[in-house]
Amino acid sequence: MKFGTKAIHAGVEPDPSTGAIMTPVYQTSTYVQASPGDHKGYEYSRTHNPTRTALQNSLAALENGAYGLCFASGMAAIDTILKLLKPGDEVISTNDLYGGTYRIFTKVFAHYGIKFHFIPMDNAKEVEKYINSNTKLIWMETPTNPLLNIIDIKAIANLGKKHTVITVVDNTFATPYLQLPLDLGVDIVMHSVTKYLSGHSDVVMGAIILNDKEVAARLAFLQNACGAVPGPQDCFLVLRGIKTLHLRMERHCDNAAKIAQFLSEHPKVDKVYYPGLSTHPNHAIAQAQMKAFGGMLSFTLKGDKIEDAKRFLERVELFSLAESLGGVESLCGHPATMTHASIPKEEREKAGLKDSLVRLSVGVEDVEDLIEDLRSAIG
Ligand SMILES: *Cc1c(COP(=O)(O)O)cnc(C)c1O
């Protein structure tokens, strides 16, 4: 099946008892057994729930993976992946990444004896220098947040294979519509389902998709043992959101490309960060591994003053100033004071995250209206 067909049909079947075309919300904590141990595959909803099962199967199909697991948030999914490690293990991570990921690495798992190296990942040879016998995980985010750098997924996946290190891609920004990390040789794909997969700013959820049976069994054990599972109502909402993922992503990408062009020609804009621009340093890799360039972009203002960024963010009317991304409505944010405030200023500067940097999550409105809003807010 092609992507759009999978988005609508994969993992879901009409309800056998009624024919209901939409997966019911199985709002139940437990399931009746005929005699002890004699059940229909469902015992308790932390372990399994039919609405969640449908969503997990749908996500696995979209990422071309064998197994899908859903969690109460993207952070709960990250937490579960890190619980594959033990004290003494080392992780290599890209240095430009979601602030919450940086926080759970440095403020939670570092306290359990796991060592993290944060490095740029544009050159696999440089990454290889950090691999030693304790290295167990390589964490990628591409496009990165908020600088929209692109990592060559295949090159890093090959490195992982060569040294038997698990490779992970946080695929939140791209979604499986734009790139398929498992097909490029990565071991684990992780999502903040909260963003594009849900797509309507009404759910917080996370997911993990992978092919390895043993690792999947361990992660399923952790999902049940630690218990950060989503409820059936949220699973239903995401199943609904996924049905239009391909349509939404096309419009997100078209709108973002036009806005990137508009901004790059604006006299008050200093730099535009968008992998679809031919001036982007990783444009060629983006073109090779992504179907299109996504709905996220960032830009800086000439002079790099925090007050100018603030004024812009106060003046926008269609773009809402808010955390998060990937919904149908356009959002804007200021990473240095919002999503990335948990990263110390000197770490931010090392990663090239400027004070005036504004991040846009371009929605699916009419692009002419969005451009007009940006034009008047920049002034
Ligand atoms: C939002 C986000 C997360 C965290 O997910 P939550 O659902 O908010 O817990 C992780 N990675 C990326 C890239 C994100 O944008």
Side-chain angles (χ1 to χ4, degrees), residues 73-75 78 98 101 141 145 170 172-173 190 192-195 204-205 325:
S73 67
M75 292 317 304
I78 296 173
Y98 180 69
T101 309
E141 204 180 288
N145 181 10
D170 180 337
T172 302
F173 270 35
M190 173 260 143
S192 170
V193 175
T194 314
K195 315 294 167 52
V204 172
M205 196 190 292
L325 61 107

Side-chain angles (χ1 to χ4, degrees), residues 51-60 70 205 235 238-239 242:
T51 318
R52 196 174 95 212
T53 302
L55 175 59
Q56 294 183 154
N57 292 341
S58 166
L59 289 173
C70 288
M205 196 190 292
C235 293
V238 175
L239 278 167
I242 282 175

Side-chain angles (χ1 to χ4, degrees), residues 276-345:
L277 292 173
S278 59
T279 50
H280 186 286
N282 317 121
H283 178 65
I285 301 164
Q287 208 158 26
Q289 74 187 17
M290 300 174 79
K291 186 179 170 122
F293 305 101
M296 299 299 300
L297 63 89
S298 297
F299 66 95
T300 49
L301 293 165
K302 286 206 174 125
D304 196 35
K305 289 206 201 74
I306 213 161
E307 310 83 70
D308 289 345
K310 214 174 144 195
R311 202 175 52 112
F312 165 82
L313 293 162
E314 286 165 359
R315 283 168 59 162
V316 282
E317 285 177 359
L318 263 181
F319 279 84
S320 302
L321 175 60
E323 308 248 4
S324 201
L325 61 107
V328 289
E329 60 288 293
S330 293
L331 302 181
C332 56
H334 187 234
T337 56
M338 294 168 70
T339 45
H340 290 65
S342 51
I343 300 177
K345 185 173 163 74

Side-chain angles (χ1 to χ4, degrees), residues 29 84 116 182 186 207 222 242 257 265 274 295 300 310 352 373:
S29 61
L84 294 170
F116 295 89
L182 297 179
V186 158
L222 290 167
I242 282 175
E265 288 161 8
Y274 186 63
T300 49
K310 214 174 144 195
D373 192 33

Side-chain angles (χ1 to χ4, degrees), residues 142-341:
T142 180
T144 63
N145 181 10
L147 293 174
L148 286 307
N149 290 318
I150 303 293
I151 297 169
D152 184 339
I153 297 176
K154 206 176 201 170
I156 305 289
N158 287 341
L159 207 57
K161 286 207 182 86
K162 180 172 160 197
H163 296 276
T164 28
V165 174
I166 296 175
T167 48
V168 183
V169 166
D170 180 337
N171 207 24
T172 302
F173 270 35
T175 80
Y177 181 69
L178 298 182
Q179 81 190 4
L180 292 164
L182 297 179
D183 285 1
L184 296 171
V186 158
D187 299 304
I188 299 176
V189 165
M190 173 260 143
H191 275 282
S192 170
V193 175
T194 314
K195 315 294 167 52
Y196 288 105
L197 292 175
S198 154
H200 296 76
S201 309
D202 49 10
V203 170
V204 172
M205 196 190 292
I208 300 172
I209 301 102
L210 71 166
N211 279 313
D212 186 283
K213 194 173 174 184
E214 273 172 40
V215 180
R218 178 69 187 162
L219 289 168
F221 167 83
L222 290 167
Q223 182 193 38
N224 180 55
C226 302
V229 293
Q233 176 75 29
D234 284 356
C235 293
F236 173 86
L237 286 170
V238 175
L239 278 167
R240 174 205 267 229
I242 282 175
K243 290 187 193 291
T244 55
L245 179 64
H246 51 306
L247 305 175
R248 289 186 282 111
M249 288 314 292
E250 275 178 24
R251 179 65 86 86
H252 282 298
C253 294
D254 282 356
N255 282 358
K258 287 182 180 130
I259 287 176
Q261 196 57 42
F262 162 75
L263 289 171
S264 58
E265 288 161 8
H266 197 289
K268 288 194 181 164
V269 171
D270 188 30
K271 198 168 164 198
V272 180
Y273 302 75
Y274 186 63
L277 292 173
S278 59
T279 50
H280 186 286
N282 317 121
H283 178 65
I285 301 164
Q287 208 158 26
Q289 74 187 17
M290 300 174 79
K291 186 179 170 122
F293 305 101
M296 299 299 300
L297 63 89
S298 297
F299 66 95
T300 49
L301 293 165
K302 286 206 174 125
D304 196 35
K305 289 206 201 74
I306 213 161
E307 310 83 70
D308 289 345
K310 214 174 144 195
R311 202 175 52 112
F312 165 82
L313 293 162
E314 286 165 359
R315 283 168 59 162
V316 282
E317 285 177 359
L318 263 181
F319 279 84
S320 302
L321 175 60
E323 308 248 4
S324 201
L325 61 107
V328 289
E329 60 288 293
S330 293
L331 302 181
C332 56
H334 187 234
T337 56
M338 294 168 70
T339 45
H340 290 65

